[in-house]
Amino acid sequence: MVAFYQSWLVVLGLLAVVDSSLIDISLDGQLCGDYNTAIRKEWGELKRAERIDYTDAVLCMQRQPQHLPREEYPGVRNRFDDFVATHINYTLSVHYSGLFLPWHRHFLWLWETALRDECGYSGYLPYWDWPLWSENLKASPLFDCSDSSLSGDGEPNPGEQSIHGGTVTLPPGTGGGCVRCGPFKDMEIHLGPFDRNIVSFNEIPAPGFDYNPRCFNRSLNNFVSMNYDNETIVDRLLAATDIADFQTVMDHWPARPDGVLGAHGGGHFSLGATLQDLFSSPQDPAFMLHHAMIDRLWSIWQGQEESHRYALNGTSTILNPPNGTIVTLDTVMEFGVLGRPRSVGETMDPGRDGYCYSYT
Ligand SMILES: *[C@@H]1O[C@H](CO)[C@@H](O)[C@H](O)[C@H]1NC(C)=O
Ligand SMILES: *[C@@H]1O[C@H](CO)[C@@H](O)[C@H](O)[C@H]1NC(C)=O
Ligand SMILES: *[C@@H]1O[C@H](CO)[C@@H](O)[C@H](O)[C@H]1NC(C)=O
Ligand SMILES: *[C@@H]1O[C@H](CO)[C@@H](O)[C@H](O)[C@H]1NC(C)=O
Ligand SMILES: *[C@@H]1O[C@H](CO)[C@@H](O)[C@H](O)[C@H]1NC(C)=O
Ligand SMILES: [Cu+2]
């Protein structure tokens, strides 16, 4: 009964902002209780053995057969690659758009579920709390290259270049070469690379789903993490006045439409080329933990006020072009072979049936 009354309160709040045809979406899920809520923890909070369980499960996914057909997706060689290819497939609608937060929330949940169901993982998805380690990535439990890390820097690469975008220049990081230590030592990646410039809003650019085996490289970059993923920016995100402001700080810092990076891009650019690739970035095992932090901050922000819970802003096309379709709670998102389509409305509350997770 308690759950019933609480969901009514939410529905009453919701009526103020959305049309009544959507009510059934919010009634769909009952609120979860403490007894069935998974807790996603910060990487450094996990015991050493728990961290190793996580990386073992990721490596296990790389040994499981893919579900996508090899003829159509030659670069997909294992189950881990199914996730990479699905991300590539929907990149042009789920980034810098109104679908960014909901689509990635569900993508993470599918990943966490697959680790548990297919690889016997008994924990939950950890997250990368950026400000904790932004001044020295190499010394963090995430990237110190110990057995209980997500591996660390790549080998030094004298060819590593600065990156210029908008009004900023990002100096090169400290690696740039292949990763040769930790759990993902000598790992091979198969998909991408994609050019940083988005050439079309409509089609997946070359190399599509081609098979392009090469090493997994990293270049740790404290300059980027200190300037784009520090405490000030996290506080600013949580103080966002509305969802449009939240999305701007997440993707455009300084928080203006012409801002470069933002906290989202900051995480991607602080680890080097593999994670920088807009399309194939899930090939870096840090991807899921970076996005878990994004999802965590969104869920904290959503919980601040009723008006935040179901707030959306943008279209279902990258960079929200004027002719994009406006995202609503009814917008359906696809996940290919990973799982059934979901409406945006179904993904708005981690504390309801269908999800039942929270963050420390
Ligand atoms: C965070 O980075 C911004 C620049 O992007 C800087 O102005 C601010 O002082 C930094 N905050 C901390 C706590 O280092
Ligand atoms: C690092 O990886 C990226 C993405 O796969 C690739 O484009 C780049 O050439 C690699 N760099 C080196 C030095 O191998
Ligand atoms: C998104 O927010 C911006 C800034 O508040 C506003 O101008 C725009 O109309 C909103 N778009 C949608 C689709 O709600
Ligand atoms: C939107 O406009 C772009 C060009 O600006 C065009 O390529 C695209 O097909 C249009 N999309 C739709 C859905 O009309
Ligand atoms: C890519 O999207 C199309 C259109 O929704 C779908 O038919 C196809 O199966 C998807 N492929 C992957 C790898 O998700
Ligand atoms: Cu993404």
Side-chain angles (χ1 to χ4, degrees):
M1 282 315 276
V2 170
F4 175 77
Y5 285 118
Q6 283 177 348
S7 37
W8 262 104
L9 288 180
V10 173
V11 171
L12 288 177
L14 191 62
L15 275 173
V17 286
V18 300
D19 94 56
S20 55
S21 64
L22 299 171
I23 289 179
D24 53 328
I25 291 171
S26 59
L27 281 176
D28 248 11
Q30 292 295 304
L31 288 170
C32 312
D34 285 347
Y35 70 96
N36 65 350
T37 296
I39 311 288
R40 294 182 178 175
K41 296 183 180 167
E42 189 269 317
W43 185 255
E45 259 182 301
L46 297 177
K47 296 192 182 78
R48 216 182 91 83
E50 293 172 326
R51 289 183 230 151
I52 294 173
D53 284 346
Y54 182 78
T55 55
D56 279 352
V58 177
L59 292 165
C60 162
M61 291 290 277
Q62 296 178 352
R63 292 189 304 266
Q64 305 306 309
Q66 75 273 15
H67 295 185
L68 285 166
R70 180 69 61 84
E71 317 79 66
E72 262 175 89
Y73 302 98
V76 174
R77 315 304 276 197
N78 58 44
R79 189 73 177 124
F80 177 90
D81 291 345
D82 279 344
F83 283 80
V84 180
T86 304
H87 185 269
I88 291 172
N89 201 42
Y90 298 111
T91 287
L92 294 171
S93 59
V94 305
H95 297 98
Y96 305 103
S97 77
L99 292 180
F100 173 67
L101 296 165
W103 192 88
H104 286 82
R105 169 170 287 169
H106 194 62
F107 185 66
L108 297 184
W109 183 83
L110 290 166
W111 169 249
E112 179 183 63
T113 304
L115 291 177
R116 293 173 59 83
D117 293 353
E118 300 170 36
C119 280
Y121 177 55
S122 59
Y124 298 99
L125 183 64
Y127 65 92
W128 165 13
D129 191 351
W130 318 307
L132 284 182
W133 323 109
S134 59
E135 296 191 357
N136 193 348
L137 292 166
K138 205 174 285 204
S140 76
L142 285 149
F143 306 117
D144 66 6
C145 236
S146 63
D147 293 348
S148 58
S149 69
L150 298 171
S151 286
D153 212 355
E155 293 186 312
N157 171 13
E160 185 78 347
Q161 303 278 319
S162 303
I163 294 174
H164 307 275
T167 55
V168 303
T169 295
L170 309 177
T174 50
C178 303
V179 171
R180 299 294 188 205
C181 53
F184 303 110
K185 172 185 193 304
D186 302 332
M187 180 178 137
E188 190 182 76
I189 62 175
H190 307 136
L191 289 149
F194 290 85
D195 196 274
R196 199 172 293 126
N197 299 311
I198 298 161
V199 290
S200 161
F201 285 12
N202 302 312
E203 32 180 75
I204 302 167
F209 300 100
D210 289 356
Y211 180 49
N212 183 15
R214 61 200 187 283
C215 77
F216 161 46
N217 64 29
R218 280 236 183 96
S219 187
L220 301 188
N221 196 319
N222 294 334
F223 174 89
V224 177
S225 53
M226 282 166 68
N227 284 286
Y228 295 92
D229 285 300
N230 66 24
E231 198 62 55
T232 308
I233 294 165
V234 168
D235 291 348
R236 174 67 182 80
L237 266 171
L238 294 178
T241 50
D242 57 25
I243 189 67
D245 187 35
F246 185 90
Q247 291 175 171
T248 301
V249 179
M250 189 59 89
D251 270 325
H252 307 278
W253 185 265
R256 298 188 308 251
D258 62 339
V260 178
L261 294 192
H264 170 216
H268 282 271
F269 279 72
S270 57
L271 295 195
T274 305
L275 195 60
Q276 276 165 31
D277 191 310
L278 180 65
F279 292 81
S280 67
S281 48
Q283 292 185 121
D284 185 326
F287 176 96
M288 299 292 180
L289 283 81
H290 174 47
H291 275 268
M293 178 66 171
I294 293 170
D295 186 59
R296 170 174 178 262
L297 296 174
W298 183 37
S299 71
I300 295 171
W301 184 85
Q302 285 183 301
Q304 287 173 356
E305 300 182 22
E306 264 173 44
S307 65
H308 290 184
R309 171 59 62 197
Y310 294 96
L312 294 165
N313 180 268
T315 71
S316 56
T317 302
I318 193 162
L319 295 167
N320 296 321
N323 64 356
T325 305
I326 290 176
V327 169
T328 69
L329 295 175
D330 283 333
T331 304
V332 173
M333 303 182 288
E334 290 184 44
F335 297 89
V337 289
L338 303 181
R340 69 165 173 88
R342 297 279 160 140
S343 70
V344 167
E346 285 178 280
T347 67
M348 297 301 274
D349 193 347
R352 267 171 205 280
D353 270 6
Y355 287 144
C356 293
Y357 67 82
S358 66
Y359 291 94
T360 55

